[in-house]
């Protein structure tokens, strides 16, 4: 008799968990690290000019203080995978929560510029850990049928964190009568901006105690009964749990803890799939997206917009970011990852070209002419929208899915580390490039958006609907 039984991976793809609400809670709790990632990355936008004034520093030094957190991000991302393989995903989240908390307190109460830079590095290390652990954990607990949408929770949390940081900054600025150095209860406004992150950091730590460990990690350390319990929670009780555990064990049987050495190939140093992950990470940053979140208030003030309005536009950009992310979450499992990436690349290139044209105009009384100013604002929002509905989400989904099990943690760590290095390059270079030629800077970002199109077409394979055990 011909068997019609489906392999466990196929059944997992089709599974509809009875307690999808619980799965969403688990995913959202893990993605709280993404919220902190977005909040901590963007909150400095509100303090840039205050830090410049308080410590009397130039653009180059200021850029290094802003960008130095990204060095911590790169180190945290590079090491998080190995830490997670040794002590588990949940323990990593708890370590990150502690680092976020102490970084927020230290950044709000610095004794000197060096002290502030140190605490930014500490916060950066936590961001780097969260950037790796969130996507990896979500990919490992999410049923394949929902994995794209649940994987997008990480980016959704990031963009919500960015928006909330801008809203909090705007509110604090209003309390300080529009002065970033205005005093509120004994502290300057910018110190409150950096210190408020203590609240979500503590919440992240508490939530990490309420969610289960990854079933794949549990299996790797021999806790099979607990792994079955978690699989039943997230894939449904109708799935053959013994078969699923056996399937995961077979996939892991010949594996050892992933290390940097596992990523090496015979040619071009890394395995080809690792280079693809690095390429996705680097292109995501080289289009200049974080200029919009680290420097937007300063950028708009530099072309004649008053401080309160510049903070407001930073907030509206963050709202557009959320809208784009929601669009991506709806479409990522319907149309696939690659089509979204291609549409986003084309849209970003066009928007950046328009921004470059707008910023090429000569300032009149310190302001862009009316038409160019309006066009620059619209194009900036369009750029963020196209990024959010594409690369902002699909890169994290790709990185959580595309690597074979035996190298996933280490490869994700390297790719995320490359992303932070590219982010540092953009963040540290923007003030000097803008002083050189603001329009030319946006032409450079446009060129990278255009180059990302042939990269996706030639090297990036669709991962939609595949179980993690099928990635080769």
């Amino acid at each position: 008799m011909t068997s019609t039984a489906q392999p466990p991976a196929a059944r997992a793809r089709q599974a509809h968990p009875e307690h999808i609400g619980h799965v969403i809670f688990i995913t959202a709790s893990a993605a709280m690290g993404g919220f902190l990632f977005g909040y901590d990355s963007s909150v400095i936008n509100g303090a840039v000019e205050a830090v410049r004034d308080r410590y009397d520093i130039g653009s180059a030094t200021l850029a290094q203080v802003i960008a130095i957190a990204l060095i911590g991000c790169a180190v945290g991302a590079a090491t998080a995978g190995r830490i997670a393989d040794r002590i588990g995903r949940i323990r990593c989240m708890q370590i990150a929560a502690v680092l976020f908390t102490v970084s927020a307190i230290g950044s709000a109460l610095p004794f000197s510029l060096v002290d502030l830079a140190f605490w930014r590095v500490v916060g950066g290390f936590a961001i780097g850990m969260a950037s790796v652990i969130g996507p990896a954990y979500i990919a490992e607990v999410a049923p394949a049928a929902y994995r794209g949408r649940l994987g997008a929770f990480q980016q959704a949390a990031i963009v919500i964190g960015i928006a909330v940081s801008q809203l909090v900054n705007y509110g604090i600025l209003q309390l300080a009568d529009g002065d970033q150095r205005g005093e509120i209860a004994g502290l300057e406004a910018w110190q409150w901006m950096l210190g408020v992150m203590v609240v979500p950091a503590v919440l992240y730590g508490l939530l990490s105690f309420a969610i289960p460990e990854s079933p794949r990690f549990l299996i790797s350390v021999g806790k099979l009964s607990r792994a079955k319990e978690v699989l039943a929670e997230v894939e449904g009780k109708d799935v053959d749990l013994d078969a699923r555990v056996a399937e995961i064990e077979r996939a892991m049987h010949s594996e050892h803890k992933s290390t940097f050495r596992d990523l090496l190939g015979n040619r071009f140093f890394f395995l080809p799939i690792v280079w693809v992950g690095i390429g996705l990470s680097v292109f995501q940053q080289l289009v200049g997206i974080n200029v919009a979140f680290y420097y937007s208030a300063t950028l708009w003030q530099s072309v004649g917009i008053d401080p309160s309005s510049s903070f407001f536009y930073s907030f509206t950009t963050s709202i557009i970011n959320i809208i784009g992310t929601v669009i991506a979450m709806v479409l990522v499992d319907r149309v696939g990852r690659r089509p979204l990436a291609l549409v986003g690349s084309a849209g970003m290139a066009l928007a950046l070209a328009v921004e470059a044209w707008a910023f090429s105009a000569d300032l009149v009384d310190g302001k862009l002419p009316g038409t160019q100013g309006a066009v620059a604002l619209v194009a900036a929002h369009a750029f963020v929208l196209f990024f959010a509905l594409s690369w902002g989400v699909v890169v994290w989904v790709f990185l959580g899915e595309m690597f074979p099990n035996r190298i996933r943690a280490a490869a994700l760590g390297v790719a995320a580390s490359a992303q932070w290095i590219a982010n540092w390059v953009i963040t540290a270079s923007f003030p000097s490039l803008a002083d050189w030629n603001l329009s030319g800077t946006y032409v450079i970002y446009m060129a990278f958006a255009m180059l990302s199109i042939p990269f996706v077409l030639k090297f990036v394979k669709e991962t939609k609907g595949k179980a993690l055990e099928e990635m080769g």
Side-chain angles (χ1 to χ4, degrees), residues 170-184:
Y170 182 72
I172 291 173
L173 189 70
Q174 301 311 303
L175 291 175
D177 297 323
D179 183 1
Q180 292 180 31
R181 297 201 59 190
E183 189 171 304
I184 305 173

Side-chain angles (χ1 to χ4, degrees), residues 110-446:
F111 298 108
S112 67
L113 187 65
V114 172
D115 188 39
L116 175 60
F118 171 77
W119 292 116
R120 284 191 53 71
V121 172
V122 172
F125 188 89
I127 293 174
M129 292 185 71
S131 73
V132 171
I133 298 307
Y137 175 85
I138 293 170
E140 291 177 352
V141 300
Y146 298 91
R147 198 174 57 236
R149 280 164 285 180
L150 294 176
F153 271 48
Q154 172 79 357
Q155 182 64 17
I158 291 171
V159 299
I160 291 172
I162 291 170
V164 170
S165 74
Q166 299 307 308
L167 182 59
V168 169
N169 285 356
Y170 182 72
I172 291 173
L173 189 70
Q174 301 311 303
L175 291 175
D177 297 323
D179 183 1
Q180 292 180 31
R181 297 201 59 190
E183 189 171 304
I184 305 173
L187 295 178
E188 294 182 6
W190 69 273
Q191 293 177 278
W192 283 105
M193 293 176 186
L194 300 182
V196 167
M197 194 178 70
V198 166
V199 176
V202 170
L203 179 60
Y204 179 43
L206 293 175
L207 286 172
S208 69
F209 287 97
I211 59 178
E213 182 54 87
S214 156
R216 285 172 176 77
F217 174 76
L218 292 170
I219 291 171
S220 74
V221 295
K223 298 181 178 180
L224 303 186
S225 296
R226 179 55 183 153
K228 290 178 185 177
E229 292 174 7
V230 176
L231 286 169
E233 289 180 34
V234 299
E235 293 188 359
K237 295 181 180 179
D238 57 333
V239 174
D240 187 334
L241 299 177
D242 289 327
R244 280 293 286 135
V245 169
E247 179 182 44
I248 295 171
E249 282 186 310
R250 283 196 300 273
M252 299 171 62
H253 180 70
S254 61
E255 300 171 12
H256 55 281
K257 301 295 183 184
S258 56
T259 66
F260 184 83
R261 183 176 299 176
D262 296 322
L263 309 182
L264 303 181
N266 294 327
R267 300 174 61 191
F268 308 118
F269 194 71
F270 286 126
L271 295 168
I273 190 64
V274 178
W275 279 117
V276 174
I278 291 172
L280 285 167
S281 292
V282 169
F283 272 118
Q284 188 196 53
Q285 296 303 313
L286 294 185
V287 296
I289 185 60
N290 280 307
V291 167
F293 301 123
Y294 295 161
Y295 293 114
S296 60
T298 297
L299 173 64
W300 295 125
Q301 289 174 51
S302 74
V303 294
I305 294 175
D306 66 86
S308 290
S309 295
S310 71
F311 271 65
F312 176 73
Y313 291 137
S314 296
F315 175 63
T316 58
T317 300
S318 300
I319 297 301
I320 293 295
N321 199 14
I322 293 174
I323 292 171
T325 301
V326 171
I327 293 172
M329 292 176 68
V330 171
L331 296 179
V332 67
D333 279 327
R334 296 182 181 182
V335 304
R337 289 69 160 143
R338 288 178 83 243
L340 282 181
L342 293 169
V343 169
S345 293
M348 286 189 296
L350 179 60
L352 288 165
V354 174
E355 281 193 86
W357 170 80
F359 288 130
S360 69
D362 294 329
L363 300 184
V364 178
D365 296 327
K367 299 181 180 181
L368 282 175
T371 300
Q372 280 86 349
V375 168
L377 281 170
V378 172
H381 284 72
F383 165 63
V384 170
L385 176 65
F386 277 107
F387 175 86
L389 64 81
S390 60
W391 285 75
V393 168
V394 299
V395 168
W396 292 111
V397 175
F398 268 130
L399 294 182
E401 295 177 337
M402 66 187 290
F403 301 115
N405 279 335
R406 65 182 181 83
I407 66 168
R408 179 170 295 113
L412 182 52
V414 168
S417 182
Q419 183 174 129
W420 290 118
I421 292 171
N423 190 340
W424 176 82
V425 169
I426 294 297
T427 304
S429 65
F430 177 75
S432 296
L433 285 173
D435 288 344
W436 161 69
N437 189 316
L438 185 57
S439 177
T441 301
Y442 277 84
V443 169
I444 294 171
Y445 300 154
M446 177 197 69

